[in-house]
Amino acid sequence: MTEKEHAVLLEKDGQIAVITLNKPDKLNAFSVEIRDQLYEALLAVRDDPSVDALVLCGAGRGFCAGADLTEFGTEPAVIRKRRVRLQRDLWDEFRRFPKPIAAALHGFAVGSGLEMAMLCDFRFAAPGTVLSLPEAGLGMIPAAGGTQSLPRLVHHGLALEFALCGNRITAEEGFERRMISRIVPSEDLLKTTIDYMKTLVERNPQSSRWIKTLVANGLELPLSQGLAREQVLVARSWTARRT
Ligand code: COA
């Protein structure tokens, strides 16, 4: 398979892995092919001890135009669909991912493309990037985690309005609503995102993993359990420092 035929590319820039959605002719619409290759790439990055953080980006005119509309209704077996979801729960892999992840967004981040980005820790975006969750207008639910990730980023009223109306906003509006972490000029987007991730992890990659796990998982715990978990990892970090 040539590089052009890979739906997802996995490269490394030092200690940072870069995963590129690579179906630019379809604006990287989220297909079964992309899902399966992205899942494999994500596990490879998770298990690679030489990688400390991940940047996710899209080739061509945009990051991702959402679910591949040409695949809608092509999988008739509901049971098979459910089994694939259980075997390759991509969105849960994002949720549980132990290393910091940034999405570099440009052009379009629509539907599952935006939802995928919202499961990342940081979202850097080029000016004018279009953000939208059009699923409700198509009679569907944002099912790439969007109903859960969005209200964890923005006020729940805004989240509900955005998911129900399916309106398009720009990255700058997304920044005002705290969906976007930073606006970066298009020409610098990928380099700035990679450099940012390098500065986050280069001082102590192991601590950055522990801190990410504590912050991300702590949101799901009562404060008492979160504090206890923090103490466990602090003790582990002392042991690691002595060995
Ligand atoms: N699934 C499959 N193909 C898609 C796609 C999708 N979600 N989004 C774009 N494409 C394809 C188009 O069919 C087109 O293919 P073609 O060149 O063979 O005709 C190509 O990608 C470029 O898209 P186009 O619509 O011409 O680009 P644009 O700049 O005018 O508009 C968008 C960009 C993202 C606004 C528009 O493509 C769009 O609305 N896409 C659908 C978004 C959507 O509803 N996603 C599903 C969410 S559940």
Side-chain angles (χ1 to χ4, degrees):
M1 206 186 269
T2 67
E3 186 169 281
K4 217 176 167 196
E5 286 163 334
H6 282 104
V8 167
L9 306 177
L10 171 55
E11 292 153 304
K12 282 206 275 183
D13 183 332
Q15 68 208 117
I16 311 298
V18 179
I19 290 181
T20 307
L21 309 180
N22 189 39
K23 282 286 178 180
D25 294 350
K26 281 190 169 187
L27 298 179
N28 304 316
F30 195 79
S31 59
V32 168
E33 189 185 20
I34 286 197
R35 179 200 64 197
D36 289 348
Q37 292 188 24
L38 181 56
Y39 185 78
E40 294 301 322
L42 211 55
L43 296 199
V45 173
R46 182 194 68 187
D47 296 340
D48 184 341
S50 71
V51 169
D52 297 314
L54 169 63
V55 171
L56 186 62
C57 61
R61 281 204 293 129
F63 175 70
C64 175
D68 189 329
L69 296 169
T70 62
E71 289 185 350
F72 276 16
T74 56
E75 173 51 78
V78 175
I79 293 177
R80 187 173 174 277
K81 253 194 327 208
R82 209 174 282 160
R83 195 173 60 226
V84 169
R85 255 193 190 226
L86 284 176
Q87 284 168 347
R88 291 193 285 273
D89 190 345
L90 184 61
W91 313 130
D92 204 49
E93 283 303 329
F94 270 97
R95 182 188 68 79
R96 295 187 297 141
F97 203 73
K99 303 169 185 180
I101 316 181
L105 309 177
H106 74 291
F108 304 95
V110 173
S112 43
L114 177 58
E115 294 175 75
M116 192 168 14
M118 291 194 298
L119 289 170
C120 297
D121 302 304
F122 309 99
R123 283 152 298 282
F124 284 30
T129 302
V130 172
L131 314 177
S132 169
L133 291 180
E135 287 95 332
L138 298 166
M140 297 185 302
I141 291 174
T147 63
Q148 301 307 301
S149 57
L150 186 55
R152 283 167 168 77
L153 290 176
V154 307
H155 181 268
H156 83 269
L158 272 179
L160 194 54
E161 185 192 351
F162 190 65
L164 284 175
C165 295
N167 56 317
R168 292 180 185 176
I169 63 170
T170 60
E172 290 83 342
E173 290 168 298
F175 178 75
E176 281 167 22
R177 298 176 188 189
R178 298 181 13 196
M179 288 164 69
I180 296 297
S181 321
R182 191 174 290 192
I183 305 288
V184 181
S186 313
E187 59 277 18
D188 303 329
L189 179 65
L190 188 56
K191 184 177 182 321
T192 302
T193 312
I194 293 172
D195 287 349
Y196 180 82
M197 297 309 273
K198 281 183 183 168
T199 61
L200 284 193
V201 298
E202 69 190 355
R203 275 178 303 173
N204 192 328
Q206 183 55 63
S207 299
S208 67
R209 284 178 212 178
W210 281 326
I211 292 168
K212 148 122 200 210
T213 301
L214 283 168
V215 171
N217 297 359
L219 283 174
E220 293 169 13
L221 298 172
L223 181 59
S224 56
Q225 285 180 28
L227 291 173
R229 179 99 188 109
E230 187 183 76
Q231 288 315 303
V232 169
L233 289 192
V234 167
R236 201 177 291 170
S237 72
W238 285 340
T239 315
R241 232 177 275 161
R242 268 189 242 115
T243 52

